[in-house]
């Protein structure tokens, strides 16, 4: 059994307990025993809840990235990779819903996940060939995080077997993201044009008198 299999078994056991008892009822030692591991052995991999959440996020990222589309329109690739991550949540639905409920009363863990989310969204954008460097990349990562959160909100209330409501919400979010990308491109083009205009203007210092007063231009 490799590290990935061990982590998956521990996470599945932990989320089964969360589904049963809620986020605050989770015992990592009990989750380890239920998964067939000694608590000390499991503690070496997941010493606390933060480490468990980090491991969960890492496995979710892997599930999204493994087998993701590498060609076709960017929109299709984004749709595919987001739904792959949603499928990972869906496989642990009861525990995930209980976790989201518990996080409302655990701001420290919620902040930890919010911080980790940016890294996950950056990886997903990189995987589909969207640049994430510079100011534009920073805004794209932020937009991807908003897209993910909108999709998760729809998924929480989606009881359909095929997750049709979730996919519809994702489709809408992708449309809005495309519109935002076009707006950002227009703004950057206008900014670039304004800078080029300023750089091409003649030096205004020629009409300033040496004393710092405006020279007589005959006006």
């Amino acid at each position: 059994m490799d590290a990935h299999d061990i982590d998956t078994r521990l996470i599945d056991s932990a989320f089964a307990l969360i589904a049963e008892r809620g986020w605050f009822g989770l015992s990592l030692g009990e989750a380890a025993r239920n998964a067939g591991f000694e608590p000390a052995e499991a503690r070496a991999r997941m010493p606390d809840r933060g480490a468990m959440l980090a491991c969960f996020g890492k496995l979710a990222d892997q599930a999204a990235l493994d087998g993701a589309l590498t060609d076709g329109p960017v929109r299709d690739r984004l749709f595919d990779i987001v739904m792959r991550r949603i499928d990972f949540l869906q496989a642990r639905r009861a525990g995930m819903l209980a976790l989201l409920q518990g996080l409302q009363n655990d701001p420290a863990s919620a902040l930890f996940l919010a911080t980790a989310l940016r890294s996950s969204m950056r990886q997903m954008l990189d995987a589909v060939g969207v640049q994430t460097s510079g100011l534009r990349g920073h805004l794209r990562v932020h937009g991807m995080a908003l897209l993910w959160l909108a999709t998760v909100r729809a998924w929480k209330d989606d009881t359909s077997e095929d997750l049709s409501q979730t996919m519809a919400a994702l489709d809408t979010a992708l449309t809005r993201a495309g519109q935002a990308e076009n707006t950002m491109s227009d703004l950057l083009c206008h900014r670039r044009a304004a800078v080029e205009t300023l750089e091409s203007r003649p030096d205004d210092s020629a009409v300033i008198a040496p004393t710092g007063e405006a020279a007589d231009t005959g006006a």
Side-chain angles (χ1 to χ4, degrees):
M1 184 180 299
D2 60 19
H4 179 272
D5 292 336
I6 294 173
D7 288 346
T8 299
R9 284 180 58 176
L10 288 171
I11 287 296
D12 287 347
S13 182
F15 271 73
L17 277 179
I18 295 172
E20 179 184 344
R21 303 178 185 175
W23 171 237
F24 294 102
L26 171 65
S27 165
L28 291 175
E30 186 174 353
R33 286 189 292 270
N34 291 347
F37 300 104
E38 290 296 324
E41 180 183 5
R43 195 176 300 116
R45 302 192 65 80
M46 299 179 199
D48 52 37
R49 293 179 181 222
M52 189 275 289
L53 290 175
C55 181
F56 177 77
K58 180 180 178 181
L59 291 176
D61 291 342
Q62 266 187 292
L65 298 173
D66 290 348
L69 296 178
T70 56
D71 55 13
V74 170
R75 181 192 175 98
D76 291 350
R77 282 180 276 161
L78 282 172
F79 188 96
D80 174 69
I81 204 169
V82 170
M83 286 308 301
R84 285 176 181 275
R85 205 169 196 267
I86 287 290
D87 287 341
F88 183 84
L89 270 57
Q90 179 70 5
R92 299 150 185 86
R93 183 177 180 87
M96 189 65 200
L97 293 177
L99 170 62
L100 292 174
Q101 180 73 24
L103 289 177
Q104 296 179 22
N105 297 308
D106 187 356
S109 295
L111 178 61
F112 174 85
L113 283 179
T115 302
L117 181 63
R118 290 191 62 80
S119 175
S120 296
M121 297 301 102
R122 186 179 298 276
Q123 289 184 62
M124 291 169 70
L125 288 172
D126 288 340
V128 300
V130 176
Q131 293 295 323
T132 59
S133 59
L135 174 60
R136 189 167 187 165
H138 174 80
L139 294 174
R140 283 171 171 163
V141 172
H142 180 70
M144 185 69 182
L146 294 178
L147 181 148
W148 170 254
L149 293 174
T151 306
V152 170
R153 280 195 295 271
W155 169 78
K156 285 170 55 181
D157 298 326
D158 190 352
T159 57
S160 63
E161 292 185 5
D162 60 356
L163 296 180
S164 56
Q165 296 174 34
T166 303
M167 290 189 286
L170 172 56
D171 188 67
T172 298
L174 284 168
T175 297
R176 291 173 178 168
Q179 293 169 347
E181 175 75 14
N182 291 335
T183 299
M184 180 170 61
S185 296
D186 290 343
L187 289 173
L188 290 175
C189 286
H190 290 321
R191 178 180 180 274
R192 190 177 301 113
V195 170
E196 291 174 353
T197 299
L198 288 173
E199 289 177 344
S200 65
R201 289 177 61 182
D203 189 356
D204 289 341
S205 63
V207 297
I208 303 298
T211 60
E213 298 178 353
D216 184 4
T217 61

